[in-house]
Every structure is written in C-alpha cells, then in structure tokens.
C-alpha cells in the first residue's frame, strides 16, 4: 500500500491550467527589486556588495517562472545560494553575504508543491534540503535556531501543498457535479424524447396494418416513418448510455418544466415572496430546454432561500423569444461577494453549455444575487407538442 502511494505521488502530474504571469507577479518583482536597491543604498554593513546585489536581483526575477518551471527556479535559486555559501567558506568574509530581500526565495518554496509535479516536488525538496544543509554546515548557529530556521523555510511548502489539496478537492467536486448534471440531463432526454419517439413508432406500425387498401406509396411512407423513428430511438439510447457512464435504462416519466414553475414557487417550503413572470412563447420548448429552465429557477430560488441575507422577495422572469429562452432570477438580499457561487451553479453552467447556452451568476450592482441564463430553443419550426399544466 505504501509503495503504491509513493508511486502515485511520484507520477502525480502538474495541476492543469497554471497561469503563466499575473499582474501581482510583476508587482512582486518590482517590490523585490526595490528592496534590493534600498538595502544596497542604505545599509552600511553589506559585505561583497556587488555580489550581494547580483544575488538579490537574481532571486527577485526568478518568481516570474515559478508556476511554469517550479523545479528549475528552485534549482537556480538554491544553486546560487549554495555557490555563495561555498565561496564564503573559502574567502571567510567578516559578515554573512546577502540581503534581507533574499527572503523572496520563500515564494519559490511555496510554488514548488503548489504547481510542481510529484517528481518535481521530490527533487526540489532534495535541492532545498541540500541548500539548508550547506548553510547549516557553514554557520555557527545553535541547533535550536537551525531547527527553527528549517521550519520557517518549509512552512511555505506546507501552505502550498494545502492550497493545492484544497483546489484539487474542489475541482473534483465540481467535476462530480458536472457529471451528475450530465446524468440528470441524459435521464430527462430519455424520459421525454423516448416517450414521443416510441409513440411515433407505434403509430407508424399501426398505419402499416390499416394501409392495405391504400396505394403502395402510403405504405412506403409509413415504413420510412417507422425506420426513422426506430433509428432515432436507438441513437438516443446510445447517447444516453455514453452520458451516464453506465448503460442503465430509465423509467419513462415526464420531467418538470416551465408548466411546473407555479407549483414549485407556491410550495409551502418557499419562505420568500416570489414574483414569477412568464413572457413570450413558452408552449413549444424542446424537452431538454424546458427541463433546464425549471432546474435553473429551482436552484436559484433555493440558493436565495438558503443564503440571501435580509431578503424578502425573489423576482423570476422567463422569456421565450423566437431563437432563445432567457431566464433571470434576482433577490433583494444584502449585496454579497461570490459566496453563493457553489457546486449547484457549476452544474447548471454545465447543463447550459451542453445545450449550447450560457449561464452567469454574481452579486447585483446594488443588492442581492443575480442569475442570468440564455438557452437556444432550437429550430423555430420544431415539431415539439405544447406541454400542458400538470
């Protein structure tokens, strides 16, 4: 078991989508270079001043590549420190060589477990410990202070590993939510489309039975309907099996849609006043879009009830346009940050993206939380039958 864990750690890849450079990287470099210049100018006890300044500048610019080349940056930084320690042993200067701005190396120590692969973390850790060992061997510092220095040096690495673990756990949770939303969407597609397609196949088969007295062209047309319906049903079942990761069948049960919103928002558990507005053509939506509208409103209103501070009302608007359906949900609670942007909304974004639309959520300009979604409704001449209220 331990061997497998070590092997998995060694083969752990780098975190995906590591940003190359952000504005704060340039701010960090500017602050480090400014500190080097100030120390070199104001301090009188700096020995080997040109060497100390060169090392300070060297360490100040290395963080620019700490995410994309974490091991290389550790090697360059601690390699320079080791060379300087060896040089001080040979030349024996009266004071330690270096500037306080060299503490920027702690940023590289943090970046190694945060952005490095498993083997890079191991190799970089060896380099860091080697640099510390050389420094401890060349100084006359007491053991207790050496241990405290080691803890101080490795603390950023612990923080980096913790941040990476948290980010990985969150990404896995988001992926589970996306998979769950795909599965739910697949089930709804199966429940609605399979019902209509099955009915089409049955009617086509019945047409063949009663078409004996009609011209052969009628029989041929019915055969075409039957063949097309059977092929559509087979392809849809294959798509559902792919989305679900398992080919388990689903019971035929209609999914909730726009016609169910009144019942949803008037349920006893809804403690906020809800202003529901349905505008435009919402009677002939494709089943997947119809169910997606219901889910977006359901999740958004649920989030408002759970998290909206001092909210009294939620405004829901669903507008059917010729090419798309727009959904907006707004509450009048206290303005918040991004605290409500959780896993449920991540699943809804995945659903909207699968349908070719988009969903955005965030705090309003003045108060509350806003959710806006736009879903394509398909061809304007679709043949989906209007849904009736349940």
């Amino acid at each position: 078991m331990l061997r497998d864990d070590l092997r998995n750690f060694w083969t752990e890849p780098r975190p995906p989508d590591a940003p190359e450079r952000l504005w704060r990287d340039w701010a960090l470099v500017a602050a480090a270079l400014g500190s080097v210049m100030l120390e070199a100018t104001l301090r009188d006890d700096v020995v080997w001043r040109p060497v100390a300044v060169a090392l300070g500048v060297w360490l100040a610019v290395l963080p620019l590549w700490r995410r994309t080349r974490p091991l290389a940056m550790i090697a360059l930084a601690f390699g320079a420190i080791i060379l300087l320690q060896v040089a001080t042993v040979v030349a024996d200067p009266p004071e330690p060589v270096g500037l306080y701005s060299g503490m920027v190396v702690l940023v590289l120590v943090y970046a190694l477990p945060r952005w490095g692969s498993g083997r890079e973390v191991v190799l970089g850790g060896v380099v860091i410990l080697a640099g510390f060992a050389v420094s401890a061997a060349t100084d006359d510092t007491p053991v207790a202070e050496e241990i405290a220095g080691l803890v101080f040096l490795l603390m950023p690495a612990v923080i980096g590993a913790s941040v990476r673990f948290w980010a990985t756990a969150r990404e896995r949770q988001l992926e589970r939510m996306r998979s769950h939303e795909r599965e739910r969407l697949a089930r709804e597609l199966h429940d609605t489309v399979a019902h209509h397609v099955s009915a089409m196949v049955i009617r086509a088969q019945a047409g063949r039975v009663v078409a004996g007295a009609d011209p052969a062209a009628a029989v041929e047309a019915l055969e075409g309907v039957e063949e097309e319906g059977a092929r559509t049903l087979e392809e849809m079942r294959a798509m559902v099996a792919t989305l679900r990761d398992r080919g388990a069948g689903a019971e035929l049960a209609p999914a909730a849609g726009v016609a169910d919103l009144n019942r949803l928002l008037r349920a006893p558990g809804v403690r906020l006043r809800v202003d529901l507005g349905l505008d435009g053509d919402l009677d002939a939506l494709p089943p997947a879009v119809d169910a997606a509208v219901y889910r977006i409103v359901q999740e958004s209103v649920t989030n408002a009830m759970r998290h909206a501070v001092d909210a009294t009302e939620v405004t829901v608007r669903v507008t059917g346009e010729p090419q798309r359906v727009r959904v907006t949900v707004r509450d009048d609670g206290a303005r918040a940050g991004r605290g409500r942007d959780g896993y449920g909304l991540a699943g809804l974004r995945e659903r909207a993206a699968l349908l070719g639309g988009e969903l955005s959520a965030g705090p309003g300009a003045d108060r509350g939380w806003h959710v806006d979604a736009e879903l394509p409704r398909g061809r304007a001449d679709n043949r989906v039958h209007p849904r009736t209220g349940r």
Side-chain angles (χ1 to χ4, degrees):
M1 183 69 69
L2 179 59
R3 182 181 302 174
D4 292 339
D5 292 339
L6 292 176
R7 184 183 298 111
N8 291 335
F9 180 78
W10 177 260
T11 58
E12 176 75 16
R14 288 181 180 178
D17 303 327
E20 291 191 5
R21 290 185 186 89
L22 303 174
W23 66 267
R24 60 176 176 267
D25 298 328
W26 298 106
L28 174 63
V29 171
L33 291 176
S35 177
V36 170
M37 295 300 104
L38 286 176
E39 283 194 80
T41 304
L42 302 178
R43 285 182 57 186
D44 297 329
D45 58 342
V46 177
V47 298
W48 294 7
R49 191 178 301 270
V51 176
V53 171
L55 177 64
V57 172
W58 176 253
L59 296 179
V61 299
L62 291 181
L64 289 175
W65 297 273
R66 67 184 185 278
R67 300 187 190 92
T68 55
R69 299 288 186 272
L71 177 59
M73 297 305 101
I74 286 290
L76 291 174
F78 282 86
I81 293 173
I82 291 173
L83 290 176
L84 181 61
Q85 292 294 331
V86 173
T88 57
V89 171
V90 175
D92 192 20
E95 297 290 341
V97 180
L99 304 174
Y100 298 133
S101 59
M103 297 290 289
V104 73
V105 75
L106 295 177
V107 176
L108 304 179
V109 176
Y110 165 88
L112 179 65
R114 176 64 183 93
W115 301 108
S117 64
R119 57 172 54 90
E120 286 177 329
V121 172
V122 173
L123 297 176
V126 171
V127 174
I128 292 173
L129 292 178
F132 175 80
V134 172
S135 177
T138 56
D139 290 341
D140 296 330
T141 307
V143 175
E145 293 185 15
E146 293 287 359
I147 295 176
L150 178 62
V151 172
F152 181 76
L153 177 63
L154 296 182
M155 187 57 66
V158 174
I159 297 174
S162 300
V163 172
R164 177 172 179 168
F165 176 81
W166 177 85
T168 302
R170 176 174 171 79
E171 183 59 34
R172 288 175 179 171
Q173 180 66 22
L174 287 172
E175 185 56 36
R176 282 194 293 269
M177 291 300 302
R178 295 187 190 105
S179 298
H180 176 71
E181 201 63 39
R182 294 189 193 105
E183 182 176 339
R184 187 190 292 246
L185 177 59
R187 185 180 299 112
E188 291 169 358
L189 285 172
H190 183 280
D191 294 344
T192 55
V193 180
H195 174 75
H196 294 296
V197 174
S198 298
M200 182 177 66
V201 173
I202 292 173
R203 286 196 298 268
Q205 291 171 339
R208 291 184 60 191
V209 174
V210 301
D214 292 343
V219 177
E220 183 178 355
L222 287 173
E223 289 176 347
V225 172
E226 177 186 358
E227 180 181 355
E228 182 65 25
R231 188 192 305 90
T232 302
L233 184 59
E234 181 180 356
E235 293 175 354
M236 185 211 62
R237 284 174 175 162
M239 180 189 65
V240 169
T242 301
L243 285 172
R244 283 183 172 175
D245 296 331
R246 297 183 300 272
E251 298 178 358
L252 293 179
V258 174
D260 300 281
L261 288 178
N262 272 298
R263 183 182 63 182
L264 169 70
L265 301 180
R266 302 297 182 265
V270 180
R271 62 174 179 83
L272 299 177
R273 184 171 65 252
V274 179
D275 178 15
L276 173 64
L278 304 177
D279 304 314
D281 181 13
L282 298 171
D283 292 331
L285 297 179
V289 175
D290 197 24
V293 171
Y294 180 90
R295 283 278 295 119
I296 291 170
V297 174
Q298 181 187 44
E299 179 70 23
S300 301
V301 173
T302 300
N303 281 345
M305 289 191 297
R306 290 177 178 174
H307 307 296
V309 179
D310 299 331
T312 60
E313 184 178 42
V314 180
T315 302
V316 179
R317 293 291 181 266
V318 181
T319 305
E321 301 177 357
Q323 301 299 327
R324 63 186 62 84
V325 178
R326 298 183 186 274
V327 182
T328 61
V329 181
R330 289 168 167 75
D331 64 67
D332 61 351
R335 192 177 188 277
R338 298 185 59 86
R340 280 190 259 164
D341 195 5
Y343 298 124
L345 287 175
L348 293 184
R349 286 194 185 94
E350 179 70 12
R351 175 187 286 253
L354 288 171
L355 295 176
E358 58 183 12
L359 182 144
S360 61
D366 298 322
R367 293 182 63 83
W369 187 265
H370 294 183
V371 177
D372 297 281
E374 181 177 307
L375 305 172
R377 64 183 302 152
R379 298 191 304 271
D381 60 342
N382 62 72
R383 297 292 186 266
V384 181
H385 296 288
R387 298 172 66 98
T388 58
R390 297 177 178 84

